[in-house]
Amino acid sequence: MAFAITQTCCNDASCVKVCPVNCIHPTPDEPDFGSTEMLYIDPATCIDCGACADACPVEAIFPVDRLTGPLKAYAEVNADYFADKAPVAEAPGRAAAEAPAAAADTQPSPNFHSWQQPVFDRNIPSDLAPLDVAVVGTGPAGMYAVEDLLLHTNAKVTLIDRLPVAGGLLRYGVAPDHPSTKKIGETFARFHDHPRLRLRLGVEVGRDVTAEELGAQHHAVIYAVGASSARRMGIAGEDLAGSITATSAVAWYNGHPDVPADAVGLSNERVAIVGNGNVALDVARILTSDPDALQGTSISPEALERLRSSKVREVVLLGRRGPESAAYTRPEMLALTQQQGASLVVDDHDPRIAAAIDSAASDDKAALLRTVPREQVDWAATPSQRRIVLRFHSAPEELLGDTEVRGLRVTGGVEIPAGQVVRAIGYRGTALPGLPFDEQTGTIPHSGGRVEGRAGTYVVGWIKRGPSGGIGANRECARETVGTLLDDAVSGALPEPQRRSSMLAGLTSRLRERLIGAGR
């Protein structure tokens, strides 16, 4: 019986590396890698060895015959990916050698890896002195860089994060009802105790130490600070009370120390979310979930307690385009269609919506909505049941209200009453004191991860490439940046660090003063 990859796939390709028969695709050396929503196992060539399941850092791989509930659909999802694709080429000479056997046995056979000449794209001299590298940020991007440095070089690493708890996006950005996704944090946490790593939490660049000070004490500094701010809509009423960002909502239910317990208003029956990407789906799902179902997850205790007394009955997801162009991924919508405790409905206000759903190909996002009820929603009616409404072809034009949000006007002049509006239209990086910043892209200008005009300074993750790609995309991103850093080290382009005792003494003093000032 074959294995199948399911909803929480992180795309970091750990499974590809251990598969003995090349049945997991796309692989990192294939053109589609990084552009698909997940990886897939070919049921025709899988030999049921289970190596991929053991290697998966997010527990997303299971035997097909053990898939239950919402995961059952993934047997077909995996198979469908290979339905119209030609078999992977076999190793040279293999097909000819096995031609007689193939003629007698028409059963599919594994696509054994076609081994080629090894490629060594990193040439590190054996006498290269150990590098002293600082990595700022403990999320996936930073930790993939740390992993590369510790496993493949003799570098010493100082790992820094402004928060008192490590984890970054994994800790404060993943929905609490996605525990498998958070499990990759356990893989990263094993490096926190590495003998060549020093962990410094509660240290903020620009507050406790400057970029110049940090750079002066290390051969290189890698910034993995992500994209923590939200894009703006640029419409009237956006700054009214009751208009919040999805970043605040996500941080709220994850217990982020920067976000107060009352950041999300739950005193009205309807909440509108602008955007229909995966983060928007996460927020909608949490707001409509049965609080008892969230008990025992990593949700903030304060958020859970507020959800128990929540008056929210309806969450409206607004998408400016049709269902065929929705921003969410198929795995996340597939899970939402099977959510327990809250119904899902499509607002059938535009004939293009039904047409797109009914004519969609099986692998189209819109096809997932065929079984979802449709109705023309009466926005004047008070929501009476817990549900999520998908409204397509509706862009926000104005948030309504005098001092606080009472609704919003969307395409066509339609007014939707809502006591809370969540803006979920994307993330954006923020400038870091002492480093260059591109206001248009929300990123730090770089070349291959090397910050322009700053010797020994590098970037990785969303602050490098913008808010694109999931957890696994950071592995290749980090590999490029670390490769650039090592090239600079070999060529002698890295600055020599100064003695660090003065910086550490000053940092310790400032931290002590801040703690005393806070009464701790």
Side-chain angles (χ1 to χ4, degrees):
M1 181 62 65
F3 278 69
I5 300 176
T6 62
Q7 177 189 354
T8 56
C9 174
C10 70
N11 280 287
D12 87 338
S14 295
C15 53
V16 173
K17 296 178 181 179
V18 300
C19 177
V21 293
N22 196 25
C23 72
I24 305 175
H25 297 274
T27 65
D29 57 350
E30 292 173 347
D32 287 348
F33 185 77
S35 65
T36 58
E37 296 175 336
M38 53 183 280
L39 304 182
Y40 307 87
I41 294 176
D42 184 355
T45 55
C46 175
I47 60 172
D48 194 24
C49 69
C52 55
D54 292 337
C56 180
V58 294
E59 298 184 352
I61 305 178
F62 303 93
V64 168
D65 61 349
R66 295 184 185 177
L67 296 176
T68 60
L71 297 184
K72 279 187 176 181
Y74 284 93
E76 184 175 352
V77 168
N78 281 253
D80 285 349
Y81 177 78
F82 298 93
D84 58 351
K85 288 180 170 55
V88 178
E90 294 184 344
R94 173 178 166 80
E98 296 188 355
D105 183 3
T106 59
Q107 294 297 315
S109 59
N111 296 311
F112 289 97
H113 288 278
S114 179
W115 302 115
Q116 301 175 353
Q117 289 294 322
V119 176
F120 300 99
D121 55 358
R122 289 181 179 175
N123 296 309
I124 306 175
S126 59
D127 60 349
L128 182 69
L131 298 174
D132 205 338
V133 182
V135 176
V136 181
T138 59
M143 292 311 301
Y144 276 123
V146 167
E147 178 185 57
D148 198 349
L149 288 166
L150 293 179
L151 295 186
H152 304 135
T153 77
N154 60 355
K156 294 180 291 183
V157 177
T158 301
L159 181 58
I160 298 170
D161 200 291
R162 74 177 187 87
L163 295 174
V165 179
L169 181 67
L170 280 175
R171 173 63 183 85
Y172 295 112
V174 176
D177 58 350
H178 282 5
S180 293
T181 303
K182 289 178 178 281
K183 274 192 171 294
I184 196 172
E186 298 175 6
T187 300
F188 295 143
R190 64 193 171 108
F191 293 108
H192 294 169
D193 298 321
H194 194 283
R196 285 188 282 114
L197 182 138
R198 296 183 305 171
L199 184 60
R200 297 288 184 263
L201 300 176
V203 176
E204 182 174 352
V205 176
R207 181 191 66 187
D208 304 308
V209 60
T210 67
E212 289 74 15
E213 288 174 327
L214 201 58
Q217 304 298 325
H218 298 85
H219 289 98
V221 181
I222 301 176
Y223 289 92
V225 294
S228 57
S229 64
R231 291 177 55 194
R232 292 182 62 82
M233 297 185 293
I235 62 175
E238 185 171 6
D239 294 320
L240 287 171
S243 169
I244 67 171
T245 64
T247 55
S248 294
V250 172
W252 168 74
Y253 58 62
N254 278 314
H256 195 293
D258 291 348
V259 178
D262 60 353
V264 177
L266 304 173
S267 59
N268 292 277
E269 290 86 358
R270 180 180 291 125
V271 172
I273 300 179
V274 180
N276 58 17
N278 286 351
V279 173
L281 265 60
D282 283 346
V283 176
R285 192 179 62 254
I286 295 299
L287 292 182
T288 56
S289 290
D290 181 348
D292 288 340
L294 296 173
Q295 182 74 44
T297 69
S298 62
I299 190 170
S300 158
E302 293 80 9
L304 181 59
E305 187 61 30
R306 287 178 56 80
L307 285 171
R308 292 191 185 282
S309 59
S310 171
K311 293 183 179 179
V312 175
R313 290 294 174 268
E314 184 176 274
V315 176
V316 184
L317 288 164
L318 300 172
R320 62 186 178 88
R321 296 179 293 181
E324 72 282 3
S325 303
Y328 53 73
T329 60
R330 293 179 73 240
E332 290 301 315
M333 177 50 71
L334 182 60
L336 193 65
T337 61
Q338 302 180 55
Q339 181 185 11
Q340 301 295 315
S343 59
L344 184 67
V345 63
V346 172
D347 184 4
D348 199 20
H349 70 99
D350 188 314
R352 292 176 294 175
I353 297 171
I357 295 174
D358 293 338
S359 63
S362 61
D363 59 349
D364 193 310
K365 292 179 181 179
L368 294 173
L369 304 178
R370 283 198 184 123
T371 60
V372 176
R374 307 171 201 169
E375 66 175 73
Q376 292 196 16
V377 178
D378 178 7
W379 299 114
T382 300
S384 59
Q385 60 176 330
R386 191 176 291 170
R387 70 176 188 172
I388 296 173
V389 178
L390 300 173
R391 183 179 171 92
F392 299 99
H393 295 296
S394 288
E397 297 178 342
E398 179 185 3
L399 267 59
L400 307 174
D402 297 323
T403 58
E404 60 184 23
V405 170
R406 62 172 177 82
L408 71 168
R409 183 178 294 113
V410 300
T411 304
V414 175
E415 293 190 8
I416 301 177
Q420 181 95 71
V421 174
V422 181
R423 312 188 302 274
I425 56 173
Y427 291 85
R428 174 182 171 81
T430 56
L432 202 63
L435 296 181
F437 187 72
D438 187 329
E439 288 289 348
Q440 184 173 357
T441 63
T443 60
I444 293 177
H446 69 92
S447 175
R450 181 191 302 110
V451 176
E452 297 177 2
R454 297 275 305 192
T457 305
Y458 303 85
V459 285
V460 68
W462 283 5
I463 196 63
K464 170 187 174 183
R465 65 182 191 273
S468 63
I471 293 172
N474 291 297
R475 168 166 274 172
E476 288 301 311
C477 180
R479 188 175 186 279
E480 178 189 51
T481 294
V482 172
T484 300
L485 186 159
L486 292 175
D487 287 344
D488 290 346
V490 172
S491 66
L494 296 182
E496 277 298 316
Q498 302 171 8
R499 291 183 60 189
R500 95 166 27 145
S501 57
S502 58
M503 183 196 77
L504 289 180
L507 174 58
T508 301
S509 176
R510 288 195 293 271
L511 287 175
R512 185 182 299 113
E513 291 174 0
R514 181 152 54 86
L515 290 174
I516 293 174
R520 290 182 283 176

